[in-house]
Amino acid sequence: FGMAQRDKLIAENYARIDHLTKLYNRRGFTEIVESYWQGYIRNSRDFSIILLDIDHFKQVNDRLGHAAGDLVLEQISHCINKTIRGCDIAARWGGEEFIILLPETPQELSLIQAERLRSAIADLIITYKDEFMNITSSLGVIGTNQSPKVSLSTELTLDSFINKADEAMYIAKNKGRNQICAY
């Protein structure tokens, strides 16, 4: 029984972690954040979400192959881990998208954190088979504004909050990429 239970816990953990980036996957992120979500709303706590998309990622895969794309994903996730705070929760959201929850952080401060991350990624030089890649990212940010009671309602869902960050990210892409847009 003990080994079976241990094996089950290990399997459940693997089901929540993206094997390539070692960050949470979408499922793992959603499970963890959902457990906090109602508490943030109910207790009027500040929080923000950053949604990040790697610019021109398809070109990396098309030009250099999927191994180069995998290297970029690994390097970006490492950069995210080095840049975020210990209390932040980061995940590979899908493909070349990443998501970060910043607890106890109003939008104003999350924009500073997003710029720190955008800049760190832009400063990366990734080498693959004698090719140097400069990677940029577009980020969408949404957060409370130090008055969650005014800006949030209990009807607001985690999904709708993430969708707003997604909208902001696409505006950043449409404005020329390698930038941040707040919802």
Side-chain angles (χ1 to χ4, degrees), residues 52-55 72 75-76 79-80 83 114-126 132-139 177-180:
L52 177 155
D53 187 76
I54 301 171
D55 296 331
V72 167
Q75 294 293 313
I76 297 292
C79 187
I80 290 169
T83 307
E115 175 53 29
R116 193 175 301 134
L117 181 56
R118 187 211 57 77
S119 177
I121 290 170
D123 289 346
L124 278 178
I125 297 173
I126 301 171
F132 296 99
M133 294 179 278
N134 288 94
I135 302 297
T136 60
S137 58
S138 299
L139 296 86
R177 296 181 165 81
N178 192 25
Q179 58 187 283
I180 299 159

Side-chain angles (χ1 to χ4, degrees), residues 20 57-58 60-75 126-129 133:
L20 182 64
F57 183 74
K58 185 179 182 318
V60 172
N61 280 335
D62 290 349
R63 197 167 63 82
L64 299 172
H66 290 283
D70 287 352
L71 178 64
V72 167
L73 292 170
E74 289 170 346
Q75 294 293 313
I126 301 171
T127 308
Y128 179 77
K129 291 186 178 178
M133 294 179 278

Side-chain angles (χ1 to χ4, degrees), residues 160-175:
S160 66
F161 206 68
I162 292 169
N163 287 338
K164 291 175 188 329
D166 193 47
E167 287 176 37
M169 183 191 67
Y170 276 100
I171 292 169
K173 284 206 166 294
N174 291 331
K175 284 184 169 182

